[in-house]
Amino acid sequence: MPGRTPRHAGAFDPFGALGMAGLTAGLSFGQVLGWSSVPILGMLTAGVLALLVLPLIERRVRSPIIMLSLLRHQVFSSALVSLLLSYLALFAVSFVMPFYLEQLCHFSTAQAGLLLTSVPLELLRSGVPQRRAGWQREGWHWPADWSC
């Protein structure tokens, strides 16, 4: 990108890591421990506070993980919103489909699972031709092509 600043070796951010770990743990164990329990409320509060403080910290560090100045570009911001909406639509359908097949179409769990294996197989198949078409300029990437 034109005007790109050189990247420096970043340092580990313990505050951000603890905040994200608190948010993740709070959402993961909230059902088990109870949403109103003190540990869950503490973890969720720490996680939300870490997300709120994130922009302030990212503006001051030498090598930020998220370059907030990119969000000023309309094309980049609209592409992010478009990506978010497409993933929301894709995963909402993937989440609801097993319930639809089992409860409304009266398929067994095995039949519904067998029908739904076509989705990851198609994602796997669609990633393989990228190398042949020249869409990946840096060469073959296993995680990008084989993760489903």
Side-chain angles (χ1 to χ4, degrees), residues 82-140:
S82 174
L83 181 69
L84 176 70
L85 292 175
S86 68
Y87 279 133
L88 183 65
L90 175 71
F91 291 115
V93 170
S94 299
F95 180 76
V96 173
M97 188 61 70
F99 300 110
Y100 170 76
L101 291 174
E102 290 178 18
Q103 295 179 3
L104 295 175
C105 295
H106 304 290
F107 286 127
S108 69
T109 304
Q111 288 174 323
L114 187 61
L115 284 172
L116 292 174
T117 55
S118 63
V119 175
L121 289 176
E122 179 57 29
L123 289 173
L124 178 67
R125 187 205 61 79
S126 66
V128 173
Q130 290 180 4
R131 171 85 164 117
R132 292 189 192 129
W135 293 339
Q136 290 183 344
R137 296 180 186 155
E138 289 112 23
W140 186 265

